[in-house]
Every structure is written in structure tokens, then in C-alpha cells.
Amino acid sequence: MEETYLLNVEGVKKKILHGGQGELPKLQDGSKITFHFQTLKDDFERTVIDDSREAGIPMEIIVGKMFKLEIWETLLSSMRTGEVAEFWCDAIHTGMYALVSRGMRRIAEGRDPLEGQKHRCGMGNMFDYHSTGYDDLDELQRTPQPLIFIMELFRVEEPSAYKRDTWAMSKEEKLMAVPVLHKEGNRLVLLKEFGQAAAKYQEAVICLRNLQAKEKPWEDGWLKLENLVTPLVLNYCQCQLELGEYYEVLEHTTELLQKHNDNAKAYFKRAKAHAAVWNEREAREDFLRVAHLDPSMAAAVKKELKQLGERMRKKHVEDRKRYQGLFQLPQGP
């Protein structure tokens, strides 16, 4: 089944590829729309830019939450459940697609979609980026153009019918969710469920980072949020130490120390990660810095340095045994 017609929106054409069921959904603020989408260039090859099925997870948007590509709400509001439709959208509607796609790709990669974003409105941020980090999106950002969206609508849920994801919450809801996530992470740590605990801490951190993006760096509002972020990051790093993800710990503690270079606990966790990956010099430097910053941790530092020395001596002995015969000349008959 294919039917082409114009929506009551300038620069948009719709073609129904497969009919849906029931009435058109009645969308209201807070409704959650779940769908798959494919984004194509309007060229001869119909070049595919994004495909949510490749990530294996349907797309979700919350109505009224200022999704940067506003036209998508309009397109989806014209669809019935189960419907598959193709929409042609002029460049007047697609100028923000590069930023939207960048965020979706980062989420699919398990990264913070707001990482590196400056304290600006969406349009301002588009001009601040020298690069999105993806060549095809950089091209779209330089030269906005018509795009084709193929969408399959799965369901529309009323605000009361689903558990709200933290990214979809208001500022007040996010602030209320953070201590709940923190407490749940602590409970999971006591059960030694370190992977699940780390996920709770990470969700709380991303929640706060989203709020921080709307504040001016180093001013009061930003600093208050940063004070909430720091212990969550440290808890997350402790979980990663338990899980053996030492390079993850090195990355996050180093990032934390770039902003808070007097945090003894961050140095301590980074030192343990350095020791685990045989960075002896860096581990000793960080352990000594801990003892200098917080004398109450001197006993723990002394214990860690002793263990580090024993591990390094054992490693050197094993290395000598392993290589001692490599350069000996073979014996004659």
C-alpha cells in the first residue's frame, strides 16, 4: 500500500508504505512515542545516514520535551500504530539533524550525548562545534539539505503508563532522582553487584551533567551540581576497580583531577589503577600525593606501597626467568 499526500506543513511530503491500525494517537505533553527510523539523503543512491535497527534499539521521544528535531513530532502525530511511512522533509526542517544524530550515535556507543557541549542554546552549539566527530554529519552541518525519514510507529504511551527515563525528566525530577540512584547504587555495592551499582552511579552522573550543561561553568549553580557529581564518580570508579576495568578508572579519575587537583580519594583510586596495570612510577607518585593531601590515609598508602613493591619484585623475578635463556648460545654436541 502506497499513498502520497501533503501534510499541512510546508516542505513535508508523506508516503504510506504500510497501513497502521486504529485511530490517530492523541499526543499530549509527556506522551512517549516508540518507533524505528531510517534517515536517507535525497540523492540518486538514497544514501543511508542512520538506521535505528542497526543499533537494535527503537527510538523513543517524549512529547513536549523540546526534542531538537521538532518536525519528528509532527510526522509521528500523522501515523497510526503499526504504520510504516516515508517522509520527505525540506532543509528548513532538517538543519538540526546533524546535532540530533550526533547525540543518538553517542548514546548508542554508551557515551554521554552532552559530552563537550558548551553552555549555549541548541543553535549556538551547532555553530560552536568545529566537528561533530562524524564526517557525514559534518557535511550535513556545513550544507543543510532535504532528508528522507522512513518511520515505523510501534506505540504511544500516556505519561502515567511508563517509568520515566531520567533524560526525559524535568530539572526538579532529576534532582529528586539523583539521591535515589545514589542510594540504590550503595545497596548494590553491599551485595557486591558492582556492575549494576556502577550503572546506577553513571545514570545519576549523566543526570547531573545534563543539568550542568544549562549552568555557567564555575558559578554557584554549576559548583553545587559538581559537588554532587564528584562522590558519584568516585563510587563509579571504585566499582570499576572491583570489576578490573582499570583503564576506565584512569580515564575518569584523571578527568576529575583536572578540575579538583586536591582530591585525595581520586588520587588513591588512580594510584590503585596504575598499580594494577604495572605503571609503577605513576602509582608511587599518586600514592605519595595522597599521603601529603590527607595524612589520615598514610597507613593505607603505606600498605599499598608495600604491596606494590612486592608485586613489582615478583614480576621482575618472573621476567628474568622468562628471558634468561633467550640470548644464550646453543651448546655444541
PDB file of all heavy atoms in Angstrom, residues 73-89:
ATOM      1  N   GLU A  73       7.964  15.171  15.795  1.00  0.00           N
ATOM      2  CA  GLU A  73       6.681  15.063  16.498  1.00  0.00           C
ATOM      3  C   GLU A  73       5.527  15.226  15.515  1.00  0.00           C
ATOM      4  O   GLU A  73       4.521  14.524  15.599  1.00  0.00           O
ATOM      5  CB  GLU A  73       6.593  16.106  17.607  1.00  0.00           C
ATOM      6  CG  GLU A  73       7.417  15.777  18.843  1.00  0.00           C
ATOM      7  CD  GLU A  73       7.126  16.721  19.990  1.00  0.00           C
ATOM      8  OE1 GLU A  73       6.080  17.418  19.945  1.00  0.00           O
ATOM      9  OE2 GLU A  73       7.939  16.780  20.929  1.00  0.00           O
ATOM     10  N   THR A  74       5.692  16.157  14.583  1.00  0.00           N
ATOM     11  CA  THR A  74       4.649  16.378  13.579  1.00  0.00           C
ATOM     12  C   THR A  74       4.473  15.150  12.701  1.00  0.00           C
ATOM     13  O   THR A  74       3.337  14.716  12.422  1.00  0.00           O
ATOM     14  CB  THR A  74       5.012  17.600  12.710  1.00  0.00           C
ATOM     15  OG1 THR A  74       5.167  18.745  13.548  1.00  0.00           O
ATOM     16  CG2 THR A  74       3.938  17.862  11.671  1.00  0.00           C
ATOM     17  N   LEU A  75       5.577  14.563  12.255  1.00  0.00           N
ATOM     18  CA  LEU A  75       5.499  13.381  11.394  1.00  0.00           C
ATOM     19  C   LEU A  75       4.830  12.224  12.116  1.00  0.00           C
ATOM     20  O   LEU A  75       3.926  11.568  11.581  1.00  0.00           O
ATOM     21  CB  LEU A  75       6.907  12.965  10.944  1.00  0.00           C
ATOM     22  CG  LEU A  75       7.774  14.027  10.250  1.00  0.00           C
ATOM     23  CD1 LEU A  75       9.099  13.416   9.800  1.00  0.00           C
ATOM     24  CD2 LEU A  75       7.049  14.665   9.077  1.00  0.00           C
ATOM     25  N   LEU A  76       5.247  11.981  13.344  1.00  0.00           N
ATOM     26  CA  LEU A  76       4.729  10.835  14.104  1.00  0.00           C
ATOM     27  C   LEU A  76       3.260  11.020  14.473  1.00  0.00           C
ATOM     28  O   LEU A  76       2.511  10.040  14.578  1.00  0.00           O
ATOM     29  CB  LEU A  76       5.574  10.615  15.353  1.00  0.00           C
ATOM     30  CG  LEU A  76       6.992  10.107  15.076  1.00  0.00           C
ATOM     31  CD1 LEU A  76       7.904  10.339  16.275  1.00  0.00           C
ATOM     32  CD2 LEU A  76       6.973   8.622  14.714  1.00  0.00           C
ATOM     33  N   SER A  77       2.846  12.280  14.658  1.00  0.00           N
ATOM     34  CA  SER A  77       1.447  12.527  15.014  1.00  0.00           C
ATOM     35  C   SER A  77       0.501  12.206  13.866  1.00  0.00           C
ATOM     36  O   SER A  77      -0.716  12.096  14.063  1.00  0.00           O
ATOM     37  CB  SER A  77       1.258  13.980  15.451  1.00  0.00           C
ATOM     38  OG  SER A  77       1.432  14.864  14.348  1.00  0.00           O
ATOM     39  N   SER A  78       1.057  12.032  12.649  1.00  0.00           N
ATOM     40  CA  SER A  78       0.220  11.703  11.486  1.00  0.00           C
ATOM     41  C   SER A  78       0.137  10.199  11.248  1.00  0.00           C
ATOM     42  O   SER A  78      -0.467   9.765  10.259  1.00  0.00           O
ATOM     43  CB  SER A  78       0.797  12.374  10.227  1.00  0.00           C
ATOM     44  OG  SER A  78       1.965  11.690   9.774  1.00  0.00           O
ATOM     45  N   MET A  79       0.722   9.394  12.153  1.00  0.00           N
ATOM     46  CA  MET A  79       0.816   7.950  11.931  1.00  0.00           C
ATOM     47  C   MET A  79      -0.058   7.177  12.919  1.00  0.00           C
ATOM     48  O   MET A  79      -0.273   7.607  14.055  1.00  0.00           O
ATOM     49  CB  MET A  79       2.281   7.491  12.074  1.00  0.00           C
ATOM     50  CG  MET A  79       3.231   8.124  11.092  1.00  0.00           C
ATOM     51  SD  MET A  79       4.956   7.607  11.358  1.00  0.00           S
ATOM     52  CE  MET A  79       4.859   5.852  10.912  1.00  0.00           C
ATOM     53  N   ARG A  80      -0.513   6.004  12.464  1.00  0.00           N
ATOM     54  CA  ARG A  80      -1.245   5.071  13.323  1.00  0.00           C
ATOM     55  C   ARG A  80      -0.286   3.976  13.800  1.00  0.00           C
ATOM     56  O   ARG A  80       0.734   3.735  13.176  1.00  0.00           O
ATOM     57  CB  ARG A  80      -2.425   4.460  12.569  1.00  0.00           C
ATOM     58  CG  ARG A  80      -3.526   5.451  12.238  1.00  0.00           C
ATOM     59  CD  ARG A  80      -4.593   4.842  11.349  1.00  0.00           C
ATOM     60  NE  ARG A  80      -5.779   5.692  11.259  1.00  0.00           N
ATOM     61  CZ  ARG A  80      -5.879   6.757  10.484  1.00  0.00           C
ATOM     62  NH1 ARG A  80      -4.855   7.104   9.697  1.00  0.00           N
ATOM     63  NH2 ARG A  80      -6.979   7.481  10.473  1.00  0.00           N
ATOM     64  N   THR A  81      -0.652   3.314  14.877  1.00  0.00           N
ATOM     65  CA  THR A  81       0.175   2.236  15.411  1.00  0.00           C
ATOM     66  C   THR A  81       0.377   1.147  14.352  1.00  0.00           C
ATOM     67  O   THR A  81      -0.582   0.693  13.723  1.00  0.00           O
ATOM     68  CB  THR A  81      -0.480   1.621  16.662  1.00  0.00           C
ATOM     69  OG1 THR A  81      -0.670   2.638  17.639  1.00  0.00           O
ATOM     70  CG2 THR A  81       0.415   0.529  17.242  1.00  0.00           C
ATOM     71  N   GLY A  82       1.629   0.750  14.150  1.00  0.00           N
ATOM     72  CA  GLY A  82       1.952  -0.276  13.161  1.00  0.00           C
ATOM     73  C   GLY A  82       2.198   0.269  11.765  1.00  0.00           C
ATOM     74  O   GLY A  82       2.613  -0.474  10.865  1.00  0.00           O
ATOM     75  N   GLU A  83       1.981   1.543  11.570  1.00  0.00           N
ATOM     76  CA  GLU A  83       2.149   2.147  10.248  1.00  0.00           C
ATOM     77  C   GLU A  83       3.632   2.337   9.914  1.00  0.00           C
ATOM     78  O   GLU A  83       4.446   2.632  10.791  1.00  0.00           O
ATOM     79  CB  GLU A  83       1.444   3.499  10.210  1.00  0.00           C
ATOM     80  CG  GLU A  83       1.545   4.228   8.872  1.00  0.00           C
ATOM     81  CD  GLU A  83       0.794   5.553   8.889  1.00  0.00           C
ATOM     82  OE1 GLU A  83      -0.301   5.618   9.493  1.00  0.00           O
ATOM     83  OE2 GLU A  83       1.312   6.527   8.308  1.00  0.00           O
ATOM     84  N   VAL A  84       3.974   2.154   8.647  1.00  0.00           N
ATOM     85  CA  VAL A  84       5.299   2.482   8.123  1.00  0.00           C
ATOM     86  C   VAL A  84       5.109   3.560   7.064  1.00  0.00           C
ATOM     87  O   VAL A  84       4.294   3.395   6.144  1.00  0.00           O
ATOM     88  CB  VAL A  84       5.998   1.255   7.500  1.00  0.00           C
ATOM     89  CG1 VAL A  84       7.389   1.637   6.996  1.00  0.00           C
ATOM     90  CG2 VAL A  84       6.092   0.111   8.502  1.00  0.00           C
ATOM     91  N   ALA A  85       5.821   4.673   7.222  1.00  0.00           N
ATOM     92  CA  ALA A  85       5.643   5.793   6.297  1.00  0.00           C
ATOM     93  C   ALA A  85       6.983   6.407   5.944  1.00  0.00           C
ATOM     94  O   ALA A  85       7.940   6.347   6.716  1.00  0.00           O
ATOM     95  CB  ALA A  85       4.717   6.847   6.900  1.00  0.00           C
ATOM     96  N   GLU A  86       7.021   6.987   4.744  1.00  0.00           N
ATOM     97  CA  GLU A  86       8.216   7.686   4.274  1.00  0.00           C
ATOM     98  C   GLU A  86       7.884   9.179   4.176  1.00  0.00           C
ATOM     99  O   GLU A  86       6.879   9.561   3.592  1.00  0.00           O
ATOM    100  CB  GLU A  86       8.642   7.143   2.913  1.00  0.00           C
ATOM    101  CG  GLU A  86       9.824   7.877   2.301  1.00  0.00           C
ATOM    102  CD  GLU A  86      10.234   7.278   0.955  1.00  0.00           C
ATOM    103  OE1 GLU A  86      10.421   6.047   0.913  1.00  0.00           O
ATOM    104  OE2 GLU A  86      10.343   8.022  -0.031  1.00  0.00           O
ATOM    105  N   PHE A  87       8.749   9.998   4.764  1.00  0.00           N
ATOM    106  CA  PHE A  87       8.535  11.441   4.761  1.00  0.00           C
ATOM    107  C   PHE A  87       9.708  12.130   4.070  1.00  0.00           C
ATOM    108  O   PHE A  87      10.872  11.841   4.368  1.00  0.00           O
ATOM    109  CB  PHE A  87       8.431  11.982   6.185  1.00  0.00           C
ATOM    110  CG  PHE A  87       7.298  11.412   6.983  1.00  0.00           C
ATOM    111  CD1 PHE A  87       7.485  10.274   7.759  1.00  0.00           C
ATOM    112  CD2 PHE A  87       6.042  12.004   6.959  1.00  0.00           C
ATOM    113  CE1 PHE A  87       6.445   9.745   8.507  1.00  0.00           C
ATOM    114  CE2 PHE A  87       5.001  11.483   7.711  1.00  0.00           C
ATOM    115  CZ  PHE A  87       5.198  10.346   8.481  1.00  0.00           C
ATOM    116  N   TRP A  88       9.393  13.027   3.151  1.00  0.00           N
ATOM    117  CA  TRP A  88      10.401  13.906   2.558  1.00  0.00           C
ATOM    118  C   TRP A  88      10.299  15.247   3.254  1.00  0.00           C
ATOM    119  O   TRP A  88       9.211  15.839   3.329  1.00  0.00           O
ATOM    120  CB  TRP A  88      10.163  14.068   1.063  1.00  0.00           C
ATOM    121  CG  TRP A  88      11.142  14.996   0.393  1.00  0.00           C
ATOM    122  CD1 TRP A  88      12.324  14.655  -0.178  1.00  0.00           C
ATOM    123  CD2 TRP A  88      10.997  16.421   0.227  1.00  0.00           C
ATOM    124  NE1 TRP A  88      12.946  15.775  -0.693  1.00  0.00           N
ATOM    125  CE2 TRP A  88      12.157  16.880  -0.450  1.00  0.00           C
ATOM    126  CE3 TRP A  88      10.034  17.342   0.593  1.00  0.00           C
ATOM    127  CZ2 TRP A  88      12.355  18.216  -0.770  1.00  0.00           C
ATOM    128  CZ3 TRP A  88      10.222  18.680   0.278  1.00  0.00           C
ATOM    129  CH2 TRP A  88      11.376  19.111  -0.396  1.00  0.00           C
ATOM    130  N   CYS A  89      11.411  15.726   3.803  1.00  0.00           N
ATOM    131  CA  CYS A  89      11.410  16.986   4.538  1.00  0.00           C
ATOM    132  C   CYS A  89      12.430  17.941   3.933  1.00  0.00           C
ATOM    133  O   CYS A  89      13.603  17.583   3.753  1.00  0.00           O
ATOM    134  CB  CYS A  89      11.735  16.768   6.011  1.00  0.00           C
ATOM    135  SG  CYS A  89      10.476  15.839   6.893  1.00  0.00           S
TER     136      CYS A  89
END
